[in-house]
Amino acid sequence: MHDRDALYIDGAWTSPQGGGVIAVENPATEETLGTVPEGTAEDADRAVRAARAALPAWSATSYAERAEYLGRLRDALAARADDIARTIASEVGSPMRLATRVQAGLPQNVVGSYAEMIAAGLPEERVGNSLVVREPAGVVAAITPWNYPLHQITCKLAPALAAGCTIVIKPSEVAPLASYLLMDAVHEAGIPAGVVNLVPGYGPVVGEALAAHPEVDMVSFTGSVRAGSRVAELAAKTIKKVALELGGKSANVILDDADLKTAVKVGVANAYINGGQTCTAWTRMLVHQDLYEQALDLVKGTAEGFAPGDPLDPSTRLGPLVSKTQLERVRGFIDTGVAEGARVVTGGTATPDGFDRGHYIAPTVLADVDQDATVAQEEIFGPVLSVIPFRDDDEALQIANNSRYGLAGAVWSADQDRALAFARQVRTGSIDVNGGAYNLLAPFGGYKQSGLGRELGRYGLDEFLETKSIQL
């Protein structure tokens, strides 16, 4: 059991105000993995006040000093990497190969990237007779999701600390255990009291208390459009700065001259990463009609290689979904897809053979999906891939942009210039050309209902800075 009974406020493990407890389920076994306190609005208030009190001293530290703290935090996370990976594999269902490389590995790299970025300070700018300076936004509330429970926190925590902000973190109640390992690392790194605070709890209680709190200067939220809209609504009452990283329905466009085998192999793997519980997943595969049947054969074979299994088994590529609620949601989308005319190429709603417990579903491929169908428009958040044919590049672009989301995507062509020209016209915050590698320093965020603002790299740091002009 991974039981925790305290909140991290003002540099110390602190008893919660209420007596509520949140049980954390292991989605592979349906057993209770551990418990954490159910934070209250009063707990959120205490954490915000601690962050406010710590702000003057922390914001006055130099960039070099903050870089030292971030370097120590990176090292403390690295020392806990195995524990972090196993914890996230157990509370989310991420396969160990993903939990090790991404869930535990990326947070170290994110924190380290900001340590390096600010070590030599940031240059000030002169515009005519004005000196333009950047200052910390202030007290930040970070409200984070369950699918990448540590990475999504460090994407906010690291730049906030680098900017000189103090922070209160509300992790997802579904997967809060990794955030406790982070607080252990924060404490070990010697980050001053009140600079980083943790209050687990439910969104309508702790999340709303933070978003509405008059002493919070900025809210950074990752999650659903519905919840993000609510956060923005509450924050607007006190004119807070708001950054939102919301959903996606990304298109993987395979043009007629593409390397089909590679595009399909990479595309299916991307669609199913973390069980499809990934906002950037390429869940719409757009294939030229001349390649369509050939592509479906390749997609089917590739998808069936993602056999569900125990996330703690190193060979597993597809773990369980995070909860029964999520499982039923995904099954509902598959049923809706079929009712609206889609054809099940592989997978479906049935429990995979050999599983009498756990929230498992087979990797699913839906063919002949209409671009306006529910499964082509809504974020399913499960291992469900919709394959859509197109006639030419213009229609492919129209289909790719036919979404209320605009987070990520991909395009494949033997002609790099053709692919790049296509990529420039897709209205998404990021897009990969011919499998371009992930870049931790590139800005990450979305157009349209995928959100506001950017994370990672210098653009992510800018979100936590205010701009001042001083006329000389």
Side-chain angles (χ1 to χ4, degrees):
M1 293 284 283
H2 296 71
D3 293 341
R4 297 281 194 146
D5 60 3
L7 316 173
Y8 191 74
I9 297 176
D10 204 17
W13 292 108
T14 305
S15 297
Q17 295 286 85
V21 172
I22 297 172
V24 183
E25 183 192 47
N26 180 330
T29 65
E30 301 183 51
E31 296 170 346
T32 298
L33 182 63
T35 60
V36 301
E38 180 185 340
T40 65
E42 291 77 17
D43 294 321
D45 178 67
R46 282 194 296 152
V48 170
R49 295 187 184 283
R52 174 61 62 188
L55 181 63
W58 180 251
S59 63
T61 57
S62 68
Y63 282 115
E65 288 175 283
R66 295 175 209 157
E68 286 187 22
Y69 281 113
L70 287 169
R72 290 203 291 269
L73 178 57
R74 174 199 56 212
D75 294 345
L77 288 172
R80 292 167 171 78
D82 290 345
D83 197 7
I84 289 169
R86 289 189 67 84
T87 297
I88 296 177
S90 299
E91 68 177 340
V92 177
S94 299
M96 275 301 291
R97 61 169 74 181
L98 179 78
T100 301
R101 180 172 51 87
V102 175
Q103 299 279 22
L106 270 185
Q108 299 168 45
N109 295 336
V110 169
V111 174
S113 74
Y114 282 103
E116 294 171 11
M117 186 185 303
I118 65 170
L122 298 178
E124 293 181 339
E125 182 185 3
R126 287 294 295 264
V127 179
N129 69 308
S130 299
L131 180 66
V132 180
V133 299
R134 309 303 300 276
E135 298 178 348
V139 175
V140 174
I143 303 171
T144 58
W146 49 260
N147 58 333
Y148 293 89
L150 185 57
H151 175 60
Q152 296 289 4
I153 292 176
T154 53
C155 282
K156 305 176 190 306
L157 173 66
L161 296 188
C165 298
T166 57
I167 191 166
V168 179
I169 299 162
K170 191 212 85 69
S172 168
E173 69 278 7
V174 176
L177 297 176
S179 65
Y180 275 83
L181 297 174
L182 172 63
M183 291 305 106
D184 291 339
V186 163
H187 198 77
E188 182 181 298
I191 294 173
V195 173
V196 181
N197 306 273
L198 179 76
V199 182
Y202 293 102
V205 179
V206 175
E208 295 208 0
L210 291 173
H213 201 293
E215 292 293 325
V216 169
D217 300 295
M218 175 181 174
V219 183
S220 181
F221 171 85
T222 299
S224 69
V225 172
R226 179 192 57 77
S229 176
R230 177 61 175 161
V231 165
E233 176 188 350
L234 291 168
K237 295 177 182 178
T238 46
I239 320 298
K240 301 185 197 311
K241 192 172 187 179
V242 175
L244 302 173
E245 201 272 280
L246 307 176
K249 193 67 187 176
S250 301
N252 178 25
V253 182
I254 304 175
L255 299 179
D256 56 2
D257 63 344
D259 177 345
L260 186 62
K261 288 184 179 179
T262 301
V264 166
K265 179 181 177 181
V266 176
V268 171
N270 185 290
Y272 292 161
I273 189 171
N274 206 34
Q277 299 167 130
T278 301
C279 55
T280 56
W282 304 341
T283 53
R284 293 183 295 154
M285 182 178 285
L286 280 52
V287 184
H288 192 276
Q289 60 186 11
D290 293 347
L291 304 175
Y292 188 68
E293 292 303 326
Q294 183 185 354
L296 285 178
D297 288 341
L298 291 170
V299 170
K300 181 177 187 293
T302 306
E304 289 173 353
F306 285 76
D310 179 356
L312 297 179
D313 182 336
S315 67
T316 294
R317 302 177 73 188
L318 188 70
L321 296 177
V322 75
S323 65
K324 183 177 181 181
T325 298
Q326 191 63 24
L327 176 62
E328 293 306 319
R329 171 184 165 86
V330 172
R331 283 174 169 163
F333 273 117
I334 295 171
D335 285 339
T336 299
V338 172
E340 293 181 359
R343 168 167 55 99
V344 177
V345 174
T346 189
T349 58
T351 300
D353 291 342
F355 293 95
D356 57 1
R357 62 177 183 170
H359 309 304
Y360 287 94
I361 193 166
T364 297
V365 176
L366 301 177
D368 308 339
V369 174
D370 184 87
Q371 63 169 304
D372 294 317
T374 301
V375 293
Q377 291 293 322
E378 296 297 325
E379 186 174 39
I380 297 173
F381 237 54
V384 181
L385 174 62
S386 297
V387 187
I388 304 170
F390 63 85
R391 291 185 298 272
D392 53 33
D393 289 16
D394 288 343
E395 185 180 35
L397 181 64
Q398 181 270 319
I399 296 171
N401 285 332
N402 179 26
S403 174
R404 64 187 172 117
Y405 296 112
L407 188 58
V411 58
W412 301 79
S413 170
D415 183 339
Q416 182 90 351
D417 291 339
R418 177 187 181 193
L420 180 57
F422 189 96
R424 289 180 183 276
Q425 298 178 81
V426 180
R427 291 188 52 76
T428 57
S430 65
I431 184 165
D432 299 352
V433 171
N434 290 328
Y438 178 71
N439 181 1
L440 195 64
L441 298 179
F444 174 76
Y447 290 16
K448 299 185 277 187
Q449 290 188 31
S450 285
L452 302 168
R454 293 294 181 267
E455 293 185 333
L456 299 175
R458 180 58 201 266
Y459 290 87
L461 180 62
D462 286 346
E463 291 292 332
F464 296 91
L465 292 167
E466 292 282 13
T467 305
K468 175 185 286 183
S469 63
I470 303 173
Q471 283 58 250
L472 303 174

